[in-house]
Amino acid sequence: MRSTTEARAQASPPVRRRAARLPAFASRKSTIALGMTLPLILIIGVLVLYPAGYAFYLALLSKSMDRFVGLANFDFLFRRETFWMVVKQSVIFAVSAVLFKALIGFLVAHCVHNVPARGQRKWRGMLLVPWVIPPAMSTLAWLWLFDPSYSAFNWLIQHAGGEGVPWLGDPYWARFAVILVNVWVGAPFFMIMYLAALKSVPEQLYEAAAIDGANWWQKLWYVTLPMMRNIIAITALFSLIVTFANFDIVRVLTNGGPVDQTHVFATWAFKLGIEGNDIPLGACVSLFMVPILAIAAIFILRDINRRGTEA
Amino acid sequence: MVTGTRAAVGIASRGSIGRDRRRALFWSYFFLAVFVIFFLTPPVYMLITSLKTSAEISAATSPWWVFSPTLANYVELLTSSTYLTFFRNSALVALLVVAITMLISIPAAFALSRMRFWGSATLATGVFLTYLIPDTLLFIPLFKIFAFVREATGIELLDRWWLLVIVYPTLTIPFCTWIMIGYFSSIPKELDEAALIDGAGYFQLLTRIFLPVALPGVIAATIFAFTVSWAQFLYPMAFTTSADQLVLPVGIVTTLIKGDVFNWGQIMTGALLGALPPLVIYAFLMDYYIAGLTAGATKG
């Protein structure tokens, strides 16, 4: 690092001479750098950080937003049964969806990695399709597959001699359905991340393990998993954030129904805040996503810092 | 010596390795087939339904086969001015957002990766952290802020498609800046030193050297920005309501579903056509698409 700064210091005279006609302030390196990053800082400050802080303020106002009511909105929420149902459903939804995405992604990544190299591209190409289609559009296809009277799944089940399933009509099946669609959308992302990680494990490690007589399970447990630990953790954290904050799948598939049983924080906040015109209460609900975000952010930050010191 | 040993081991146990390998291959193909069916069923079913008439959709025949294929749904949608308006709005928003994202995030990434200044490391990490703040946390305060702007200045922001051009960059810029920092940092420092010695300014350094060298990163970031803006659903849902201001995802969900009457043939056609631009980009630029996906966690 030092040597490059010195080299740059030696290299700068010709540039400096040319720029000497400009005011010294405008030609300073830090000023140019600030100018280049200023739009970024402004847009993030005005449209991300300010609204995020504003949400905390909004949550303390009355419904008509003319009075400061302190924590009354939170108090109101805590007394409502629907709120606790939403908390429970959000946690179940996020945790089980991420778990299945990770398992399926891991399994599929291994399978792709196992087949001969010339076929891998083709398989990978087909398996990433659910991730590429905008979720609002693909969820419409699922909605149609789950249709109460024309469900194509029920047609198959009935022709196999079973009984049709009320996919979105029954609370438990509806919860299963939103998780299933979320896993469908997200598993390919895990697959692609794990595949990249698998490719980066040095082949010599497996050869060494094979010479030591390790079976496939021991290779997986003692070689693959430790080498992939970082990627697995980061991908799961990312996915946990995104899944916890999910809106489109639940909104399109069930819109929270039947009777609010499948609402997650985002869809319920939308219903209360935008559709119900109670902006403070909606802000209040969406704030409950902050703790999980903060925890995940701390872990991710730690990982970034560690990588920064390794480099 | 080492290779000799390895070869000996290979010969000694070839029989059992071969059998294990064949079994592993069989199960790999088995699971791959299962998951390809699972992953591709919805899009294929979209295509099947889009080729049917309303009469065939409600008939008691197999939903998994088209008996009398027709392109009527496609013709109807592609001549419907409402649907074309959605498509135009989506395309305009996505292209403008891509342009804004690149104009802001490339210079910022250049400054953050090469021109170390006070707080630059913290800023780089901070940019990445803002990527973690989800849209679902921001849409309510943003809605209130836009309503407030209308009261204060008389400028109507809500229910205008171009508002999305202002809002979407918050979703694309942090991640694009982050992956561009990763690509720029991987360019050897000798290159910029050579350019600076030859008398290049920072602007020339960026446009003549960094952009061409980091072109794969630029393409990956562009694809990311495009697909994110094309797929975004919550902001247009919250901020736009009039039919002529809607973008595709919201337009299909809100206008093709009229009350309890679901015209599934048209809904599936609309959704499939709406999914086409990202799918086409993916089909032709798969490697860049995947590079953009994995860059966030493996680079930087």
Side-chain angles (χ1 to χ4, degrees):
Chain A
M1 182 60 225
R2 172 163 305 171
S3 65
T4 53
T5 344
E6 276 163 13
R8 202 175 288 165
Q10 283 159 8
S12 51
V15 181
R16 180 113 14 102
R17 207 179 312 130
R18 203 163 46 107
R21 268 166 277 148
L22 290 168
F25 173 73
S27 61
R28 275 222 320 259
K29 191 175 101 176
S30 58
T31 316
I32 301 173
L34 186 68
M36 286 172 129
T37 43
L38 199 60
L40 170 85
I41 297 170
L42 279 180
I43 204 157
I44 286 178
V46 174
L47 290 172
V48 179
L49 296 181
Y50 171 65
Y54 192 46
F56 283 90
Y57 173 72
L58 278 176
L60 304 175
L61 299 180
S62 69
K63 184 179 177 186
S64 50
M65 284 178 285
D66 51 2
R67 218 154 34 80
F68 190 75
V69 294
L71 298 175
N73 285 322
F74 290 92
D75 188 50
F76 175 75
L77 278 182
F78 290 156
R79 286 163 202 273
R80 280 181 75 171
E81 218 176 298
T82 319
F83 172 74
W84 294 109
M85 211 164 69
V86 171
V87 172
K88 208 175 103 194
Q89 169 62 8
S90 293
V91 173
I92 294 173
F93 173 75
V95 172
S96 54
V98 170
L99 195 70
F100 281 106
K101 280 187 256 194
L103 286 175
I104 292 177
F106 194 77
L107 173 67
V108 177
H110 259 277
C111 293
V112 174
H113 191 59
N114 253 344
V115 303
R118 69 197 133 76
Q120 287 188 8
R121 219 183 128 78
K122 196 179 61 196
W123 287 107
R124 198 184 56 175
M126 288 193 284
L127 289 165
L128 200 61
V129 166
W131 179 262
V132 180
I133 302 174
M137 318 266 186
S138 51
T139 310
L140 280 172
W142 282 100
L143 183 64
W144 172 222
L145 281 163
F146 289 145
D147 190 87
S149 25
Y150 297 105
S151 169
F153 288 147
N154 282 351
W155 186 88
L156 285 179
I157 294 173
Q158 277 155 2
H159 274 250
E163 207 167 305
V165 174
W167 293 104
L168 303 175
D170 174 83
Y172 289 99
W173 278 111
R175 285 177 181 164
F176 169 78
V178 286
I179 293 170
L180 176 75
V181 176
N182 195 288
V183 169
W184 179 82
V185 171
F189 176 67
F190 277 81
M191 185 267 294
I192 219 74
M193 297 298 278
Y194 290 169
L195 193 58
L198 276 176
K199 300 245 176 258
S200 68
V201 179
E203 195 58 36
Q204 292 96 308
L205 291 182
Y206 291 113
E207 282 165 14
I211 288 170
D212 289 345
N215 58 28
W216 69 271
W217 170 250
Q218 288 166 320
K219 281 186 203 164
L220 181 71
W221 192 252
Y222 293 109
V223 180
T224 315
L225 282 179
M227 291 300 286
M228 288 174 66
R229 200 175 48 197
N230 245 352
I231 292 278
I232 291 177
I234 282 290
T235 315
L237 275 174
F238 263 110
S239 179
L240 198 62
I241 293 178
V242 176
T243 315
F244 220 78
N246 181 273
F247 174 78
D248 17 17
I249 292 172
V250 177
R251 170 81 197 184
V252 174
L253 203 62
T254 64
N255 199 4
V259 272
D260 294 339
Q261 299 270 345
T262 55
H263 265 309
V264 290
F265 285 125
T267 52
W268 202 46
F270 189 91
K271 191 184 167 196
L272 294 174
I274 305 290
E275 292 177 332
N277 253 325
D278 194 339
I279 288 181
L281 201 60
C284 230
V285 171
S286 63
L287 282 181
F288 281 92
M289 287 185 281
V290 171
I292 179 83
L293 297 180
I295 294 169
I298 290 168
F299 277 106
I300 292 175
L301 199 60
R302 224 178 50 178
D303 177 77
I304 291 173
N305 284 338
R306 200 170 41 212
R307 237 185 277 172
T309 50
E310 275 167 13
Chain B
M1 181 58 215
V2 175
T3 46
T5 324
R6 212 178 281 155
V9 170
I11 289 163
S13 54
R14 182 176 287 161
S16 84
I17 282 181
R19 191 157 13 96
D20 283 357
R21 177 88 195 110
R22 263 202 309 278
R23 206 169 51 193
L25 256 184
F26 169 78
W27 284 111
S28 295
Y29 281 120
F30 173 77
F31 281 117
L32 283 177
V34 168
F35 280 104
V36 162
I37 292 172
F38 172 46
F39 284 179
L40 293 186
T41 296
V44 167
Y45 194 57
M46 272 166 138
L47 180 68
I48 291 175
T49 309
S50 74
L51 297 172
K52 289 183 182 181
T53 60
S54 297
E56 191 180 339
I57 287 172
S58 49
T61 52
S62 166
W64 296 99
W65 190 252
V66 194
F67 294 96
S68 45
T70 165
L71 288 175
N73 288 319
Y74 289 88
V75 173
E76 199 167 333
L77 273 189
L78 291 175
T79 52
S80 131
S81 66
T82 345
Y83 188 79
L84 291 176
T85 311
F86 299 157
F87 218 99
R88 192 208 58 188
N89 289 346
S90 264
L92 273 175
V93 169
L95 293 177
L96 288 171
V97 169
V98 166
I100 293 174
T101 305
M102 290 301 134
L103 281 177
I104 294 181
S105 64
I106 287 176
F110 176 72
L112 288 175
S113 69
R114 273 308 202 267
M115 310 164 74
R116 291 183 184 270
F117 54 95
W118 184 81
S120 60
T122 318
L123 189 59
T125 314
V127 164
F128 185 67
L129 283 185
T130 56
Y131 172 60
L132 301 179
I133 302 179
D135 50 356
T136 38
L137 190 63
L138 300 175
F139 73 102
I140 289 178
L142 280 174
F143 184 85
K144 177 66 190 143
I145 291 170
F146 297 143
F148 177 77
V149 167
R150 174 182 51 200
E151 280 162 35
T153 65
I155 302 171
E156 181 65 85
L157 293 171
L158 289 171
D159 205 12
R160 297 286 180 272
W161 65 265
W162 47 262
L163 173 67
L164 304 176
V165 180
I166 303 172
V167 185
Y168 283 7
T170 59
L171 303 167
T172 55
I173 287 178
F175 188 71
C176 287
T177 309
W178 179 255
I179 62 176
M180 287 318 296
I181 290 177
Y183 276 99
F184 284 165
S185 303
S186 67
I187 296 175
K189 292 232 162 54
E190 288 75 21
L191 263 181
D192 24 329
E193 280 155 20
L196 287 172
I197 288 171
D198 289 344
Y202 283 113
F203 181 72
Q204 283 169 309
L205 186 61
L206 174 60
T207 53
R208 298 268 178 86
I209 294 176
F210 274 61
L211 283 186
V213 174
L215 193 63
V218 177
I219 297 174
T222 308
I223 294 174
F224 174 84
F226 180 84
T227 47
V228 164
S229 343
W230 193 269
Q232 168 57 229
F233 182 66
L234 172 60
Y235 284 157
M237 192 85 194
F239 302 149
T240 55
T241 43
S242 310
D244 61 333
Q245 305 294 329
L246 296 181
V247 289
L248 262 178
V250 178
I252 294 169
V253 170
T254 58
T255 65
L256 289 183
I257 300 175
K258 298 181 186 88
D260 287 335
V261 188
F262 285 66
N263 186 347
W264 279 111
Q266 271 196 24
I267 296 173
M268 288 298 102
T269 312
L272 198 61
L273 286 173
L276 217 52
L279 279 173
V280 168
I281 290 176
Y282 169 66
F284 285 100
L285 301 167
M286 186 162 86
D287 293 319
Y288 294 109
Y289 190 101
I290 290 172
L293 272 186
T294 47
T298 54
K299 269 197 171 42

